[in-house]
Every structure is written in structure tokens, then in C-alpha cells.
Amino acid sequence: MKRRRKDQTEGQESKKAKSDADSSGKAASSVAASPAETNASAGGQKMAKWQRDRLVRLNQAIARAARFKKARQARKAYDQIISEGLVPSAQTFGALVNAAVRVGDMNQAREWLAQSVQRGVNP
């Protein structure tokens, strides 16, 4: 019994040491920018914090509409993103495709994918 416990603790310690070594070596590169920052920086401009926050809120509204199969409400939130001059992110288009699929409108889902490619976003 003692031997097994000792082996288990040694295994856990070595896993922890290995993960610490991995994270210390990749600490700078593993810090990812938010999707809105990544999308904005691809276009050469950086979004202000309030713009990122607003985009996140509207993306949440789209996802919520998708969950309740309200594609029209999701479309309105997308239209609001565009009218406010925000840059749609991969999450935006992913939620829009999800909304279209949930209501069974595969043509609209394909149109959202085409629109995302047009805008240079890969959902």
C-alpha cells in the first residue's frame, strides 16, 4: 500500500514539474489576445475597451438568441454590431451560424459563413 501511494505522489510531482516547465517556457506566447483584439489587429486597427465590451455583449445576445431559436433576434443584434461600426468576430459568426442551424435554415448558415469569409474572419 505504501509503495503505491509513493508512486502516485511521485507521478503527480513529475506531472506538476513538467507542466511548470512547459508553462514557464511558453509563458509569453501562451497569453492570447481576446478575439475582438485579434480580429481588430488583423485589420490594422485596435479596438477600444468599450468597443470590445460592446461586441462581447452583442455576441452574447446573439448566442442567447441562438439558444432559444430566435434567428431574427440574432440578425438584429448582428445588424446593431454593423450599425455601431464594430468589427464582427469569429464568435459573432459562429453564433449566427448556430442560430441558423438551430432553426433549420442551412442556406442562411451558408450565407453567414460566406459573409465571414468576405470579412476575413474564420469562424
Side-chain angles (χ1 to χ4, degrees):
M1 200 76 152
K2 285 185 178 181
R3 177 140 177 104
R4 183 177 296 166
R5 286 186 182 165
K6 184 178 179 184
D7 290 344
Q8 286 176 346
T9 57
E10 286 176 359
Q12 289 173 350
E13 289 172 1
S14 66
K15 285 180 186 177
K16 183 179 178 186
K18 185 177 179 182
S19 69
D20 288 344
D22 287 345
S23 66
S24 67
K26 299 178 184 174
S29 64
S30 67
V31 177
S34 73
E37 284 179 343
T38 303
N39 197 23
S41 63
Q45 60 187 8
K46 189 163 178 137
M47 294 176 95
K49 183 180 181 331
W50 70 268
Q51 289 174 317
R52 286 191 312 270
D53 292 345
R54 182 69 178 146
L55 181 62
V56 167
R57 292 286 181 202
L58 290 169
N59 284 344
Q60 289 171 345
I62 294 170
R64 190 173 32 257
R67 192 175 13 212
F68 294 108
K69 299 181 181 180
K70 297 185 178 199
R72 193 173 301 148
Q73 189 175 349
R75 174 66 190 214
K76 284 182 181 178
Y78 174 76
D79 290 339
Q80 194 167 357
I81 288 172
I82 299 303
S83 70
E84 292 181 14
L86 300 173
V87 180
S89 65
Q91 286 74 17
T92 304
F93 287 109
L96 289 165
V97 169
N98 185 25
V101 168
R102 282 184 179 250
V103 298
D105 190 352
M106 296 302 146
N107 289 331
Q108 182 63 52
R110 286 185 196 97
E111 287 178 26
W112 286 126
L113 287 172
Q115 176 99 17
S116 71
V117 170
Q118 229 176 18
R119 291 186 171 269
V121 177
N122 188 12

